[in-house]
Amino acid sequence: MPKQSANMSGLQCLATENIWFDKQRYDEAERRFYEGVNGPSSPQQQVKTALQQAKGRQQKRQHRNSSSHGGGDQELVSRMKSLELENQTLHKVVQEMRAALQKLESRVVMLEKSPAAAAVPCAKAAPVKQVKVENGDDDDDDIDLFGSDDDDEEATRLKQERLDAYAAKKAKKPALIAKSSIILDVKPWDDETDMAQLEQCVRSVQMDGLLWGASKLVPVGYGIKKLQINCVVEDDKVGTDILEEEITKFEDFVQSVDVAAFNKI
């Protein structure tokens, strides 16, 4: 088993080696190619052809080596340029950080040197108000603890003027008049009562705050009809009791008066 692994490693090494095992076959093929192009040649020509072939192969090898070295140099140059740019950027950042640090250090030093100067504006912000106190009998005489009668009279006069102005302003506003709509049922004695004459009697009742409206005859039964009449009254001046009392005075036509409806306007 170890011997087989050793053989495998040797084959692998040979596979990786850059060896031209069949070089003679290629050389023979190249010689025949040139003979076919130029025709049969003498031994001198064969030697010359071999030299030319060797020189061509050497030039190709040099060209491959130079191209490989050139590509590596170009890559190295590009990497060097990128490193130089990165170095310049880092150098600039370091310089800016140093400048900022120096400013902070100088500011801290200034604050440490003048702590009292920073406290002066705070002390000036709240000045102490000095009160001058003088002793003497004249000052005591000038102080009026209970006020004077003139001030009381002036205040009373101003108060009364304001009350009068408010009362006058309130009097100018029109007062709200409360009104009501009333429907009365006026019943006659019998079916022979003259309903037209009964309505004239009812409408003849006139007083301040009373306004008669529409009316109609409503059947009650057995040929008897009642008068249903509407009126608008001012609540402060006319009431239902007064209306009933005035209408029932017409005893020849009116049997009774009832309030059918009462609505505030």
Side-chain angles (χ1 to χ4, degrees), residues 115-132:
V120 168
C122 297
K124 290 181 178 180
V128 178
K129 185 178 180 180
Q130 297 180 356
V131 180
K132 185 176 181 181

Side-chain angles (χ1 to χ4, degrees), residues 2-265:
K3 185 176 181 181
Q4 185 178 358
S5 62
N7 291 334
M8 290 296 293
S9 61
L11 291 174
Q12 291 176 357
C13 292
L14 289 174
T16 56
E17 288 291 335
N18 192 8
I19 300 174
W20 201 350
F21 291 102
D22 50 356
K23 180 177 182 301
Q24 295 179 358
R25 293 174 57 190
Y26 286 99
D27 291 342
E28 183 68 19
E30 187 176 5
R31 184 180 62 78
R32 291 179 180 177
F33 172 75
Y34 283 110
E35 287 180 355
V37 173
N38 300 325
S41 59
S42 60
Q44 290 84 2
Q45 290 179 349
Q46 293 179 359
V47 172
K48 187 177 180 180
T49 302
L51 290 174
Q52 290 178 353
Q53 292 175 358
K55 186 176 181 181
R57 287 194 291 272
Q58 185 177 2
Q59 289 178 354
K60 291 180 181 178
R61 192 180 299 109
Q62 290 178 357
H63 179 70
R64 286 197 298 271
N65 292 333
S66 63
S67 62
S68 63
H69 287 300
D73 294 341
Q74 186 175 3
E75 183 180 0
L76 182 61
V77 169
S78 63
R79 291 187 63 185
M80 288 293 292
K81 288 182 179 180
S82 63
L83 288 174
E84 287 178 358
L85 291 174
E86 187 176 357
N87 189 17
Q88 291 177 0
T89 305
L90 291 174
H91 183 70
K92 185 177 180 180
V93 172
V94 171
Q95 292 294 333
E96 292 177 355
M97 293 180 67
R98 284 180 180 176
L101 184 60
Q102 289 178 358
K103 290 181 180 179
L104 288 174
E105 288 179 353
S106 62
R107 186 173 180 182
V108 170
V109 171
M110 291 176 63
L111 291 175
E112 289 178 354
K113 287 182 179 180
S114 58
V120 168
C122 297
K124 290 181 178 180
V128 178
K129 185 178 180 180
Q130 297 180 356
V131 180
K132 185 176 181 181
V133 180
E134 295 181 357
N135 296 324
D137 296 336
D138 295 337
D139 295 337
D140 294 337
D141 294 338
D142 294 337
I143 298 174
D144 188 2
L145 298 177
F146 300 100
S148 62
D149 295 337
D150 296 337
D151 294 338
D152 294 340
E153 292 177 357
E154 184 67 19
T156 303
R157 186 180 64 81
L158 290 174
K159 184 178 180 181
Q160 187 62 35
E161 289 179 356
R162 291 176 181 176
L163 290 174
D164 295 341
Y166 177 74
K169 184 177 179 181
K170 188 176 181 181
K172 291 180 180 179
K173 292 184 179 180
L176 182 62
I177 300 174
K179 294 182 180 182
S180 301
S181 176
I182 303 173
I183 298 177
L184 298 175
D185 285 343
V186 183
K187 296 177 182 178
W189 288 104
D190 51 27
D191 57 346
E192 295 180 357
T193 304
D194 189 356
M195 298 304 293
Q197 188 66 30
L198 186 145
E199 184 177 354
Q200 290 180 4
C201 293
V202 172
R203 289 183 182 275
S204 65
V205 177
Q206 297 293 330
M207 60 183 68
D208 188 18
L210 172 62
L211 179 64
W212 293 108
S215 63
K216 64 181 180 178
L217 296 176
V218 180
V220 178
Y222 304 100
I224 301 174
K225 295 180 180 180
K226 66 180 179 180
L227 176 66
Q228 195 172 74
I229 188 169
N230 184 23
C231 65
V232 177
V233 299
E234 295 181 10
D235 296 343
D236 295 339
K237 298 178 180 180
V238 181
T240 57
D241 296 338
I242 298 174
L243 285 175
E244 291 178 5
E245 183 179 353
E246 292 294 328
I247 293 172
T248 53
K249 287 181 179 180
F250 302 99
E251 297 178 354
D252 296 337
F253 299 96
V254 179
Q255 178 189 4
S256 63
V257 178
D258 297 325
V259 178
F262 188 98
N263 296 314
K264 291 286 186 182
I265 298 177

